[in-house]
């Protein structure tokens, strides 16, 4: 809801009290979700341009050139609050919304990825949240026919009352067919099509921009309901409209509904709009004008087109049996005008609705970075690691998503990055996620390191990272320490974008992820999700599964000299030390892997070297014998340093090591492939036993 | 040249990958809407997806559609994959029903299936074990009586139709069946998703090859 200060500004600008329609519209447009009023001031920290960037931050998707006249569109959005209240519908519509963002730029959606956070699944409520969110994503994405290519899943107590559901979509278009979300030409028609409009989702973005509390069940009416069948027909319709070059502009109706879509397109085009709300096809009786204006009913699009193209556009839309209506026109004069049954619902300057908010003062507090030194617990680290829910296999979740629909999947989710083949024959690798625990220990360095982890996931497929989208999830920005966490997380991501030259082309901010529950204040771990895509320009992607032939596993790069933020330190203690980022070596390793043809590659991820090797052996069903000279905790279990593992055939091992040495890349053998299905690290573990240990935790979490 | 029609109901979503797979055999393949005529088609592919959003039951509404009656009367060879199989059982062109998986969850994974002795155009593949992906929520085949027209069973890599190779609780590990006359085949696995090297297996080509052989007569 508008603050007292905002209400003053509105009164002053209009010289009168705003109508209910104007107030509802401003509530939506000035919410954090739409206006980025606490975050926009920091976006200049990102690298936002490169030769490949065809469209950056500001519309539904960022567009990146992948050659041969094709672009890839990427977007990433949060749907946290709706998912907390109604996990099935909240998650389903999160997927639906981000797919429409991609489609509205004229891209065919080719992959989705999801970043999910829950409390530990040891209570019925947390298990239900996990189960229903996964079911919502699966039922929607599978039905629309977009394969799931990855994402991440992390559990921590801090997410118990504020689960996070963020969805990324990747699309493809011919560059000369892309559509912009803009209304340039006065006189053009505004054509609304897709589903009819109801009361679902009214006030959705405002709801998403406030703290949840014990009365959250009353917010059920603010959660949208998804209809994937209509979404599929909507996608088909948009792609046909695109191919026939009928549209001047297009935007998905998301947060703030018709008001937001029309105002944003007019603002970009320097025009105005006049809407006749009586024309909007409704599914409920007795709706007020302001309700029609800001309803967030799903599966709707607003197109801008010249009158001459209307007949042809309607032929396509009607062939999909979708509802439609010409709801207004683009005007000169930069005003947003809407009327309903002879009554003025809104008559307000467009620039004011988009940019007129008083930028709120936000203060950053000091963060105490704790160096946490505890005695090390002695145990069978490997078994303890694999059976921890945050290391455990996510296969029971990914298996519920269609990974192959559309027929382009080369490497399915479950490893480092998913890979699809593009229409021009090149390969696109993609990964999304962060490491919330790591970021919480040190938001600045932690977010840089967590972002680098996602970069490495793409790089170990031999792909050059060409762009990223971010979704910054944090607590209440009106609280100093929380705001500092948020800003530090942006700084960390921004630093990586510059140092590794991966431009940020889109994003989303989700604040107020904290809640009072049972009288206790709970704030999420700051979670700056990033989604990164990379291209394999020539040849094939590097496999993510080990080859069974005689070969060695070579570590390239270095182990960390700190344990802070690592899984080992979290579980077993020891000395934390200070986090450190090594951009120069990251860059050097990236160059080594891109375009290389190693037998297989992976990066040392969560749980460190031994855990990564064990997971690799299990996933590949190939035995490994670990033998390292360095047996320090940092070397065996440390993470978040620049290091990859590559598989090299024995006959070229010496020459490979020599070549790497000449290019000043630290390289050493850390394991060898064996013929039996056994993982040897000190003692022998049967792969089948380790697999059961590794897959059990998430399977158990899904048992209700 | 033969023309294969890939039928699209509202909610079908495997149509384009199927067209691409068929085209790689050098035949004409096109998407045919459910309200169009099928007279000019030599073969019919009922593609996967969620026809009519799978409301009521998977394939129920499409199964009762006019085009299914046309297809039945046409005498043309038919292959139904995934939702296409569900539609064929709902249209009573293939016996039995596809119930929700016993896991009560959607399952997407690679499976092996072995072609059994049968009276359909797939009989020439008898004994072959093929690696093909599945992706479905309702693939648990059930029939009141022992089915007579089994064409494929879920199996291990070595062709053993063991219970542990069964991904969805299907009766007798059944992955696919044919109509009584052997002209129509339905299966839960997706041959069109194992046609190209980049997809990780090309075993699906054998199924499509046999189907096209029947189309060419």
């Amino acid at each position: 809801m508008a603050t007292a200060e905002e209400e003053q500004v509105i009164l002053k600008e209009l010289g009168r009290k705003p109508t209910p329609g104007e107030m509802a519209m401003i509530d939506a447009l000035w919410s954090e979700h739409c206006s980025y009023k606490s975050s926009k001031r920091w976006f200049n920290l990102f690298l936002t341009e490169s030769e490949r960037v065809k469209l950056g931050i500001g519309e539904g998707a960022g567009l990146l050139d992948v050659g041969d006249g094709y672009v890839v569109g990427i977007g990433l959005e949060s749907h946290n609050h709706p998912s907390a209240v109604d996990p099935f519908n909240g998650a389903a519509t999160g997927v639906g919304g981000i797919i429409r963002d991609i489609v509205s730029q004229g891209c065919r959606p080719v992959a989705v990825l999801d970043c999910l956070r829950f409390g530990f699944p040891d209570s019925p409520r947390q298990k239900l949240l996990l189960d229903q969110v996964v079911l919502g994503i699966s039922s929607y994405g599978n039905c629309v026919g977009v394969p799931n290519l990855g994402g991440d899943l992390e559990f921590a107590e801090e997410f118990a009352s504020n689960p996070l559901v963020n969805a990324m979509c990747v699309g493809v278009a011919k560059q000369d067919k892309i559509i912009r979300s803009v209304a340039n030409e006065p006189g053009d028609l505004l054509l609304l099509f897709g589903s009819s409009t109801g009361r679902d989702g009214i006030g959705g973005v405002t709801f998403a921009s406030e703290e949840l509390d014990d009365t959250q069940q009353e917010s059920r009416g603010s959660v949208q309901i998804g209809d994937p069948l209509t979404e599929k027909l909507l996608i088909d319709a948009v792609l046909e409209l695109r191919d026939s070059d009928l549209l001047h502009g297009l935007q998905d109706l998301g947060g703030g509904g018709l008001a937001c879509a029309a105002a944003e397109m007019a603002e970009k085009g320097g025009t105005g709009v006049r809407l006749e709300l009586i024309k909007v096809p409704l599914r409920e009786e007795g709706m007020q004008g302001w309700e029609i204006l800001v309803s967030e009913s799903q599966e709707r699009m607003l197109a801008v087109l010249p009158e001459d193209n209307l007949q042809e556009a309607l032929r396509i839309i009607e062939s999909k049996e979708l509802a439609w209506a010409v709801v207004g026109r683009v005007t000169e004069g930069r005003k947003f005008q809407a009327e309903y049954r002879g009554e003025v619902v809104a008559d307000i300057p467009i620039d004011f609705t988009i940019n007129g908010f008083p930028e709120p003062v936000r203060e950053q507090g000091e963060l105490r970075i704790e160096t946490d030194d505890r005695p090390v617990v002695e145990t069978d680290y490997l078994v303890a690691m694999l059976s921890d829910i945050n290391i455990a296999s996510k296969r029971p979740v990914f298996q519920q998503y269609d990974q192959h629909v559309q027929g382009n999947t080369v490497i399915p989710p479950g490893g480092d990055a998913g890979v699809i083949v593009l229409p021009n024959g090149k390969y696109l690798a993609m990964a999304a996620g962060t490491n919330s625990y790591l970021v919480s220990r040190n938001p600045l360095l932690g977010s840089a390191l967590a972002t680098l982890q996602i970069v490495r996931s793409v790089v170990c497929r031999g792909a050059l990272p060409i762009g990223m989208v971010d979704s910054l999830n944090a607590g209440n920005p009106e609280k100093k320490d929380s705001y500092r966490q948020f800003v530090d997380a942006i700084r960390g991501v921004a630093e990586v974008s510059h140092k590794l030259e991966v431009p940020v082309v889109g994003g989303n901010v989700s604040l107020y992820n904290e809640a009072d529950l049972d009288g206790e204040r709970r704030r999420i771990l700051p979670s700056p999700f990033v989604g990164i895509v990379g291209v394999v320009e020539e040849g094939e992607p590097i496999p993510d599964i080990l080859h069974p032939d005689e070969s060695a596993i070579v570590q390239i790069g270095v182990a960390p000299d700190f344990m802070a933020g690592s899984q080992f330190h979290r579980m077993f203690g020891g000395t934390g030390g200070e986090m450190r980022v090594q951009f120069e070596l990251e860059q050097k390793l990236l160059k080594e892997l891109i375009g290389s043809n190693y037998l297989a590659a992976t990066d040392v991820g969560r749980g460190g070297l031994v855990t990564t090797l064990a997971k690799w052996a299990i996933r590949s069903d190939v035995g490994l014998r670990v033998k390292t000279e360095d047996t320090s905790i940092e070397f065996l279990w440390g993470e978040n340093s620049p290091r990859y593992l590559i598989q090299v055939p024995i006959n070229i091992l010496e020459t490979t090591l020599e070549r790497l040495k000449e290019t000043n890349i630290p390289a050493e053998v850390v394991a060898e492939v064996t013929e039996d299905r056994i993982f040897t690290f000190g003692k022998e573990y049967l792969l089948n036993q380790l697999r059961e240990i590794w897959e059990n935790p998430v399977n158990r979490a899904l048992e209700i | 040249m033969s023309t294969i029609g890939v039928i699209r109901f509202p909610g079908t979503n495997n149509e384009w990958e199927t067209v691409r797979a068929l085209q790689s055999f050098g035949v004409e393949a096109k998407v045919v809407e459910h309200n169009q005529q099928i007279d000019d088609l030599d073969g019919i592919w009922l593609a996967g997806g969620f026809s009519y959003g799978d409301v009521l039951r998977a394939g129920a509404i499409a199964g009762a559609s006019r085009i299914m009656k046309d297809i039945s009367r046409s005498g043309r060879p038919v292959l139904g994959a995934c939702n296409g199989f569900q539609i064929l059982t709902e249209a009573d062109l293939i016996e039995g029903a596809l119930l929700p998986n016993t896991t009560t969850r959607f399952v997407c994974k690679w499976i092996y299936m072995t072609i059994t002795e049968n009276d359909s155009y797939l009989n020439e593949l008898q004994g072959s074990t093929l690696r093909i992906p599945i992706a479905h929520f309702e693939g648990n085949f059930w029939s009141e009586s022992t089915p007579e027209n089994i064409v494929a069973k879920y199996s291990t890599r070595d062709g053993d139709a063991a219970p542990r190779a069964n991904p969805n609780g299907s009766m007798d590990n059944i992955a696919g069946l044919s109509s009584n006359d052997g002209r129509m085949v339905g299966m839960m696995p997706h041959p069109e998703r194992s046609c190209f090297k980049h997809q990780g297996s090309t075993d699906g080509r054998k199924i499509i090859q046999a189907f096209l052989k029947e189309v060419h007569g």
Side-chain angles (χ1 to χ4, degrees):
Chain A
M1 302 302 278
T3 61
E5 188 195 4
E6 288 170 351
E7 277 175 18
Q8 285 305 314
V9 170
I10 296 166
L11 277 177
K12 195 170 158 218
E13 168 74 21
L14 299 182
R16 60 174 165 83
K17 269 182 74 175
T19 66
E22 289 164 346
M23 204 56 233
M25 192 176 157
I26 287 176
D27 255 348
L29 282 159
W30 289 9
S31 69
E32 285 289 351
H33 185 90
C34 291
S35 72
Y36 299 99
K37 62 188 168 191
S38 301
S39 53
K40 210 172 186 171
R41 64 194 83 168
W42 301 104
F43 293 170
N44 61 358
L45 294 177
F46 295 130
L47 172 72
T48 53
E49 288 183 9
S50 78
E51 275 181 6
R52 288 182 183 264
V53 176
K54 296 297 163 194
L55 182 63
I57 297 173
E59 293 188 23
L63 300 175
L64 297 156
D65 191 345
V66 289
D68 310 300
Y70 285 96
V71 292
V72 158
I74 53 176
L76 173 59
E77 280 248 331
S78 61
H79 226 223
N80 303 332
H81 285 46
S83 304
V85 176
D86 182 345
F88 179 88
N89 287 302
T93 53
V95 174
I98 194 65
I99 290 177
R100 281 195 305 286
D101 278 340
I102 298 298
V103 171
S104 66
Q105 310 285 174
C107 294
R108 175 184 292 281
V110 294
V112 291
L113 304 90
D114 318 282
C115 306
L116 310 177
R117 296 292 183 271
F118 301 97
F120 290 112
D122 43 17
S123 73
R125 168 150 176 85
Q126 293 307 316
K127 288 166 85 115
L128 188 76
L129 278 173
L130 170 67
D131 180 67
Q132 290 295 302
V133 163
V134 171
L135 201 60
I137 293 169
S138 134
S139 74
Y140 202 99
N142 296 349
C143 189
V144 171
V146 184
N148 191 294
L149 264 291
D152 76 341
L153 172 60
E154 187 177 332
F155 300 88
E157 196 45 45
E158 288 82 352
F159 297 110
S161 42
N162 257 293
L164 300 185
V165 176
N166 285 214
M168 177 181 180
C169 183
V170 179
V172 180
K174 281 282 222 183
Q175 197 176 323
D176 56 5
K177 293 286 183 189
I178 60 177
I179 308 172
R180 298 291 302 273
S181 299
V182 65
N184 279 322
E185 313 254 345
D188 274 359
L189 302 178
L190 294 170
L191 172 64
L192 177 69
F193 65 101
S195 282
S196 54
T197 298
R199 285 199 176 86
D200 45 331
I202 285 179
V205 288
T206 320
F207 161 59
S209 303
E210 289 169 0
E211 290 180 9
L212 287 173
D213 55 34
D214 291 344
T215 63
Q216 59 182 240
Q217 289 307 323
E218 289 168 19
S219 302
R220 282 284 286 258
S222 292
V223 180
Q224 308 88 336
I225 310 293
D227 171 7
L229 173 59
T230 303
E231 178 106 340
K232 164 71 166 84
L233 299 170
L234 195 64
I235 295 169
D236 289 345
V238 170
L239 297 181
E240 283 183 39
L241 291 165
R242 168 197 77 172
D243 290 339
S244 311
D245 294 314
L246 295 171
L247 306 183
H248 283 170
L250 183 69
Q251 186 162 334
D252 156 46
L253 270 65
L258 183 57
C260 200
E264 286 183 357
M265 282 201 286
E267 195 261 347
K268 281 197 200 82
T271 58
V273 290
R274 185 179 300 121
L275 299 172
E276 292 174 69
L277 298 177
I278 191 82
K279 301 275 180 63
V280 175
L282 301 180
R283 67 170 79 134
E284 279 183 67
E285 284 185 25
M287 282 182 74
Q288 308 274 322
W290 71 268
E291 290 178 312
I292 300 170
L293 201 57
V294 297
S295 157
E296 294 183 13
S297 289
Q298 297 287 290
E299 290 93 23
R300 298 181 301 157
M301 291 269 187
L302 186 66
V304 180
L305 76 175
E307 199 151 1
D308 288 348
N309 293 353
L310 183 64
Q311 284 309 332
E312 182 56 16
L314 293 182
R315 191 193 56 75
I316 291 170
I317 290 165
E318 286 184 340
S319 78
K320 312 295 172 204
E321 296 174 42
L322 295 168
W324 63 268
V326 175
V327 295
R329 274 188 194 270
V330 180
T331 58
E332 288 177 16
R334 301 185 165 220
K335 283 199 123 187
F336 187 104
Q337 296 166 305
E339 63 165 51
Y340 187 55
R341 298 181 188 277
E343 202 175 296
V344 173
V345 178
D347 189 353
I348 186 167
I350 291 221
D351 287 341
F352 179 68
T353 66
I354 304 280
N355 303 313
F357 57 85
E359 198 173 85
V361 176
R362 299 281 186 246
E363 289 176 54
Q364 300 177 52
E366 285 298 317
L367 291 182
R368 226 184 41 240
I369 307 299
E370 294 162 37
T371 50
D372 174 15
D373 296 341
R374 287 170 281 144
V376 183
V377 177
E378 296 279 342
T379 180
D380 183 334
Y381 296 132
L382 179 59
V383 168
M385 281 276 188
L386 291 178
S387 48
D388 184 84
I389 189 87
N390 282 318
I391 297 286
S393 168
K394 311 302 185 290
R395 198 169 68 99
V397 166
F398 284 126
Q399 198 168 281
Q400 296 186 49
Y401 306 143
D402 195 331
Q403 305 160 13
H404 306 117
V405 61
Q406 299 188 14
N408 300 320
T409 303
V410 180
I411 296 180
D416 310 296
V419 179
I420 59 167
V421 62
L422 292 170
N424 62 359
K426 291 177 185 173
Y427 297 94
L428 189 75
M430 58 193 81
T434 188
N435 181 333
S436 304
Y437 174 74
L438 174 70
V439 176
S440 75
R441 305 302 297 167
N442 182 333
L444 179 64
L445 294 174
S447 72
L449 290 167
T451 304
L452 285 167
Q453 173 74 50
I454 306 299
V455 172
R456 280 181 230 123
S457 297
V458 169
V459 169
C460 59
R461 295 285 68 77
L464 174 73
I466 58 169
M468 72 166 128
V469 280
D470 60 25
S471 181
L472 307 156
N473 299 260
N476 185 343
E478 295 160 35
K479 303 211 161 83
K480 287 182 187 176
D481 56 338
S482 177
Y483 191 57
R484 177 62 183 268
Q485 286 185 334
F486 170 68
V487 175
D488 273 1
I490 295 181
R491 289 190 180 111
V493 173
E495 183 77 355
V496 175
S497 75
H498 283 282
K499 289 285 171 39
L500 293 187
E501 296 168 66
V502 187
V504 176
V505 294
N508 167 81
V509 170
S510 171
L511 299 174
Y512 297 96
N513 289 295
E514 52 185 288
D516 281 325
L517 208 75
D518 307 326
E520 200 187 321
R521 174 137 292 264
R522 303 250 191 100
R523 176 185 300 159
I524 62 158
L525 303 180
S527 301
F529 295 116
V530 295
I532 299 181
V533 289
V535 182
V536 180
E537 290 280 351
E538 276 173 38
E540 309 273 317
I542 306 174
D544 76 333
I545 296 289
L546 288 164
H547 201 279
D549 285 358
E550 194 184 14
S551 53
I553 307 300
V554 174
Q555 167 184 304
I556 57 173
V558 295
D561 51 13
F562 61 89
M563 293 300 286
S566 70
Q567 184 71 19
F568 184 95
H569 190 254
R570 183 184 191 178
M571 291 174 73
F572 312 117
T575 309
E578 280 177 35
M579 292 185 197
R580 193 157 74 89
V581 185
Q582 301 176 66
F583 284 116
E584 210 174 307
L585 187 53
E586 295 279 1
Q587 185 70 272
K588 195 184 262 181
L589 296 176
L590 180 149
K591 288 196 173 124
E592 169 59 28
L593 278 156
I594 287 164
S596 69
N597 53 0
Y598 291 113
L599 278 182
T602 190
D603 62 290
V604 175
R606 207 174 288 199
L609 176 70
V610 181
T611 308
T612 301
L613 284 167
K615 283 163 53 180
W616 212 12
I618 297 167
R619 286 201 299 119
S620 314
D621 206 20
V622 167
L624 283 180
R625 183 177 299 118
V626 182
K627 46 169 199 182
T628 65
E629 271 177 35
D630 190 339
T631 55
S632 66
I633 284 177
E634 286 81 359
F635 193 87
L636 296 176
W637 306 102
E639 52 191 274
N640 298 308
S641 64
R643 63 171 165 167
Y644 295 85
L645 302 173
I646 53 178
Q647 186 182 19
V648 182
I650 291 293
N651 58 351
I652 59 161
L653 180 60
E654 284 309 313
T655 51
T656 304
L657 289 172
E658 228 158 84
R659 187 182 56 75
L660 288 165
K661 199 173 156 194
E662 276 165 22
T663 44
N664 283 326
I665 290 178
E668 63 187 284
V669 174
V670 291
E672 59 191 25
V673 168
T674 59
E675 278 179 14
D676 40 21
R677 294 206 169 86
I678 287 173
F679 186 78
T680 310
F681 170 64
K683 61 184 180 187
E684 294 189 342
Y685 302 85
L686 293 179
L687 281 187
N688 280 341
Q689 277 172 5
L690 286 186
R691 180 176 298 110
E692 214 179 298
I693 292 169
W694 186 48
E695 290 194 346
N696 188 36
V698 178
N699 266 326
R700 246 192 12 234
L702 286 166
E703 276 168 19
I704 291 196
Chain B
M1 193 163 46
S2 309
T3 303
I4 311 297
V6 178
I7 310 299
R8 172 158 74 180
F9 297 95
T12 299
N13 64 27
N14 299 175
E15 67 273 30
W16 295 112
E17 63 199 86
T18 306
V19 164
R20 279 203 306 278
L22 289 165
Q23 283 171 344
S24 75
F25 288 83
V27 298
E28 182 104 353
K30 61 178 185 182
V31 171
V32 175
E33 302 291 344
H34 68 105
N35 52 9
Q36 289 175 348
Q37 299 300 321
I38 58 162
D39 304 341
D40 61 331
L41 304 177
D42 303 300
I44 301 205
W45 189 295
L46 294 166
F50 291 70
S51 56
Y52 295 97
D54 274 359
V55 292
L56 205 54
R57 290 183 308 278
I61 295 177
S65 63
R66 177 195 54 81
I67 200 169
M68 289 310 296
K69 293 183 178 66
D70 292 349
I71 289 169
S72 168
R73 275 196 297 265
S74 71
R76 305 275 184 250
V78 176
L79 198 147
C82 199
N83 197 223
F85 183 22
Q86 294 163 339
I87 293 168
L88 284 167
T89 61
E90 285 289 343
D92 281 333
L93 298 173
I94 288 181
E95 67 192 298
L98 291 149
L99 309 180
N101 303 337
T102 42
T103 54
T104 70
R105 289 175 200 282
F106 190 95
V107 60
C108 175
K109 65 193 284 197
W110 285 89
I111 54 93
Y112 288 95
M113 72 172 188
T114 300
I115 308 295
T116 55
E117 183 183 353
N118 66 83
D119 295 327
S120 81
Y121 53 79
L122 290 187
N123 191 44
E124 63 175 68
L125 296 174
Q126 195 188 125
S128 314
T129 298
L130 310 174
R131 183 170 176 266
I132 298 185
I134 55 167
H136 57 249
F137 188 83
E138 291 105 341
N140 172 9
F141 180 83
W142 181 82
S143 176
E144 230 163 359
S145 52
T146 310
E148 287 176 8
N149 304 313
I150 302 169
V151 300
K153 290 186 176 188
Y154 300 109
S155 69
T156 63
R157 197 186 309 213
D158 313 319
D160 177 14
R164 70 191 147 90
N166 188 335
N168 52 28
S170 205
M171 172 181 190
D172 208 13
N173 275 37
I174 290 171
L177 292 127
S178 75
S179 56
N180 286 328
D181 62 3
R183 179 172 63 87
M184 304 188 212
V185 170
M187 64 179 66
M188 289 316 296
H190 285 275
E192 77 283 4
R193 294 183 190 173
S194 42
C195 266
F196 301 104
K197 190 171 154 262
H198 78 254
Q199 294 173 327
S201 163
T202 55
D203 286 357
R205 297 192 79 83
K206 293 179 183 162
I207 305 260
I208 299 178
Q209 192 75 59
F211 166 66
L212 292 176
K213 212 160 141 189
E214 177 80 359
V215 170
H216 298 141

